[in-house]
Amino acid sequence: MLIDKSITLFVAMLLSGSMAFGQSADAVVMTVNGQPVRATTWQRYCQKQRQQAQLGQPSLKTLRQRFVDFQLMLAAAREARLDTLSTIRQPMASADELPCVGTQPVDASIETEALQLYQRRKQRVDAAGGMTLVQALLVKLPQQASKREEQQAKLLADSIATALKQGADVAPFLARYADDIDATEHQEQGVWLYPGETLPEFEVQMQQQPLGTWGDVFVSPAGYHILKVIARQPYLAYKEVRDELLKLISQRRLRRQLRAMQQESKPTSGKDSTACVAASKLIPAATLQDFRDELMVLTVLQREVWQKHPDTTAEWEHFFAQNKKRYRWTSPRFQGVVCYAATAKDLAQAKKSIRKQPVTKWKQCIEAALNTDSTKRVQVIDGWFMQDENAAVDYAIFKRGNDDKAPASYPFVGVWGKKFKAPPSFLDALMWVKADYQEQQQQAWLTRLRQKYAVEVNDALLEETIK
């Protein structure tokens, strides 16, 4: 399909930044390992960095250093011939075809945004009861099942549940009746589920069922379920979801940029609709090359830094010990539990249940001791608390505010734990320790690249082309 030349020129100008620099737009602003880097590449890089900045606009000095670092890593990727990989060379025509990969691995704001997203997810999941490890079987029902089909399915589900309760091996049943929550092979070890991921009927049963035993058959629109709850725990550690979150944030940013560019490229008139549709989906070659460069940098980072320096508890602990001042809080925090009880006796029993137990297991111990049936005798909130986060903690620990207005059904309140001025363990600052540790490893690698590759920069032209 041919696109009107004027429309093509219009879209190209939008994506290439200001074209008022005449011949300087194609000038070489630096060379890295003998490879020329042109002004238009520098302009696009600055535009992205400024669009993504969250805490004020970066200075020219900051942009220069980031850009040089990026080009150094790109030189290392080219030397490793990563540009020959099919995943990097594959053609892409529009934002809808972009693979799910990160696009700005050297931008610290991506890490910050990932940490913020992690905190929101963790608060939501933990507030709803945390994650649950289950094995689940399902005897499916057709959408318009007859009474006879329902009876046969229920009879089959009851017989399976009876066999499992009597100690039968679950593997043969999983092979045939595994619920479609996850792949059958994963079901043998169990599947971790978040609140809200399943049918309401399944969710209710999952929350109420005791640990370690197969429960009774229950029905949902999908059919008859047999469930075993293996374990419950808070949301995953940041380490386990970091890569997923970084890719998600990076992909969101790139998609927003490309969609914005496509939107800006749409003509206002209704003429030449064929050309308009084609122009709205056009992604310039320079933008696609930027994306490939960013993907190459991400790949070489994985090879040369993250995979060569695998995270271990010992390394995190050592790094934390060497940098404790970095993690001191501006105000004290409290680690412990807030327990709301129906009676004074229940509150005393809750306090007794946590004796000689680590603080991280207090909530689990209290609930196991008192919430043993469908009636909940206590409500428990645990974790780290800052001032003004919880009225009971503010009153009992930080000596401010008024006594907490406890829920009417749980008028007795206990606050147990300890106040700290800094994280007592690297585990209590693990998200930040891990991010800082990886940043240190990346900077050490960049130092080696600066020694390896020659860099020549035309600073006057750099400044001129982004005025």
Side-chain angles (χ1 to χ4, degrees):
M1 181 183 300
L2 296 177
I3 303 175
D4 184 85
K5 291 183 179 179
S6 62
I7 296 177
T8 304
L9 178 60
F10 174 70
V11 176
M13 290 178 66
L14 281 173
L15 274 298
S16 64
S18 175
M19 303 299 291
F21 301 110
Q23 293 182 352
S24 67
D26 289 328
V28 175
V29 294
M30 70 175 64
T31 58
V32 179
N33 195 31
Q35 184 78 20
V37 182
R38 301 200 174 271
T40 49
T41 303
W42 161 245
Q43 289 171 329
R44 292 194 303 272
Y45 182 86
C46 291
Q47 182 182 20
K48 286 183 182 180
Q49 290 286 309
R50 286 170 170 170
Q51 288 173 348
Q52 294 172 2
Q54 294 181 333
L55 301 174
Q57 290 296 311
S59 64
L60 174 62
K61 181 179 179 181
T62 298
L63 289 171
R64 179 191 185 280
Q65 187 59 60
R66 289 180 184 175
F67 188 61
V68 170
D69 289 347
F70 184 86
Q71 294 298 325
L72 284 167
M73 291 187 285
L74 188 57
R78 289 188 179 118
E79 185 177 9
R81 298 185 60 80
L82 297 184
D83 52 346
T84 64
L85 296 178
S86 59
T87 53
I88 291 174
R89 294 179 60 192
Q90 61 183 342
M92 296 172 292
S94 74
D96 294 334
E97 298 172 355
L98 292 174
C100 299
V101 295
T103 64
Q104 288 287 351
V106 296
D107 188 350
S109 70
I110 290 182
E111 188 82 50
T112 301
E113 192 172 342
L115 284 167
Q116 293 171 347
L117 177 58
Y118 171 79
Q119 291 281 29
R120 292 195 298 270
R121 282 189 177 183
K122 178 175 173 58
Q123 291 174 0
R124 177 177 58 81
V125 171
D126 289 351
M131 300 169 56
T132 307
L133 182 65
V134 304
Q135 287 179 323
L137 302 175
L138 173 64
V139 179
K140 295 182 180 180
L141 281 175
Q143 282 190 339
Q144 297 180 341
S146 64
K147 286 291 184 182
R148 180 178 177 81
E149 288 174 322
E150 289 181 4
Q151 291 172 352
Q152 289 177 338
K154 177 67 163 59
L155 183 63
L156 175 58
D158 284 337
S159 65
I160 295 172
T162 300
L164 292 172
K165 289 179 180 180
Q166 293 175 352
D169 183 10
V170 70
F173 295 112
L174 286 172
R176 186 169 182 181
Y177 299 107
D179 199 345
D180 56 358
I181 298 169
D182 207 338
T184 303
E185 56 267 25
H186 296 158
Q187 284 263 1
E188 294 189 19
Q189 284 74 42
V191 177
W192 284 106
L193 296 179
Y194 302 139
E197 275 194 323
T198 64
L199 294 167
E201 297 84 356
F202 193 103
E203 191 95 13
V204 170
Q205 183 69 22
M206 185 173 67
Q207 292 176 353
Q208 295 179 350
Q209 189 163 309
L211 297 177
T213 60
W214 287 96
D216 295 331
V217 173
F218 63 97
V219 68
S220 79
Y224 291 96
H225 301 263
I226 309 117
L227 176 66
K228 180 180 181 180
V229 177
I230 302 172
R232 295 185 176 94
Q233 72 168 45
Y235 188 54
L236 297 168
Y238 181 63
K239 170 188 176 182
E240 300 178 67
V241 295
R242 176 180 180 271
D243 290 345
E244 171 198 342
L245 295 178
L246 290 178
K247 289 182 180 180
L248 176 62
I249 298 300
S250 298
Q251 183 192 16
R252 282 179 181 176
R253 290 184 174 189
L254 183 64
R255 286 183 184 277
R256 284 198 297 266
Q257 292 169 8
L258 295 179
R259 277 196 287 266
M261 290 186 290
Q262 291 175 348
Q263 185 65 32
E264 289 174 352
S265 68
K266 291 180 180 179
T268 56
S269 69
K271 298 179 180 180
D272 199 0
S273 59
T274 302
C276 292
V277 172
S280 69
K281 290 194 173 184
L282 178 66
I283 304 299
T287 302
L288 297 183
Q289 186 57 51
D290 288 346
F291 178 76
R292 293 188 181 99
D293 289 347
E294 291 160 355
L295 181 54
M296 287 172 63
V297 168
L298 177 62
T299 305
V300 78
L301 266 172
Q302 289 173 332
R303 289 188 180 189
E304 298 298 327
V305 180
W306 301 333
Q307 292 177 0
K308 286 188 177 181
H309 299 277
D311 299 329
T312 67
T313 300
E315 288 175 330
W316 293 335
E317 189 169 15
H318 178 72
F319 183 84
F320 176 77
Q322 297 294 316
N323 298 274
K324 278 189 174 181
K325 291 183 179 179
R326 184 184 299 184
Y327 303 105
R328 288 185 65 86
W329 295 317
T330 56
S331 60
R333 301 187 186 185
F334 170 76
Q335 183 186 27
V337 297
V338 180
C339 180
Y340 302 93
T343 66
K345 184 179 178 181
D346 288 341
L347 189 64
Q349 186 179 346
K351 187 173 183 179
K352 183 179 179 180
S353 71
I354 63 176
R355 290 178 183 172
K356 299 182 180 180
Q357 297 294 329
V359 65
T360 54
K361 292 187 177 181
W362 284 2
K363 179 179 180 181
Q364 180 181 344
C365 291
I366 293 171
E367 291 179 338
L370 288 105
N371 294 343
T372 55
D373 51 33
S374 58
T375 303
K376 292 186 176 181
R377 296 159 59 190
V378 294
Q379 288 184 350
V380 186
I381 305 172
D382 70 339
W384 285 94
F385 299 85
M386 299 173 62
Q387 293 180 14
D388 300 324
E389 280 191 355
N390 182 279
V393 173
D394 285 345
Y395 182 77
I397 304 299
F398 297 121
K399 309 303 180 184
R400 55 188 289 165
N402 301 316
D403 196 1
D404 184 31
K405 295 180 180 179
S409 301
Y410 302 94
F412 298 89
V413 183
V415 180
W416 308 306
K418 186 176 180 180
K419 185 167 64 174
F420 295 90
K421 293 183 178 180
S425 163
F426 76 98
L427 295 172
D428 300 309
L430 184 58
M431 291 186 297
W432 297 273
V433 171
K434 185 176 187 294
D436 291 344
Y437 174 78
Q438 290 194 335
E439 175 66 18
Q440 182 189 70
Q441 299 302 322
Q442 180 174 322
Q443 290 303 320
W445 179 56
L446 280 168
T447 298
R448 296 193 295 272
L449 293 184
R450 294 183 190 110
Q451 296 170 350
K452 182 177 181 179
Y453 299 130
V455 178
E456 296 180 5
V457 183
N458 186 334
D459 286 307
L461 189 55
L462 278 182
E463 184 174 0
E464 175 192 348
T465 53
I466 63 167
K467 281 183 179 179

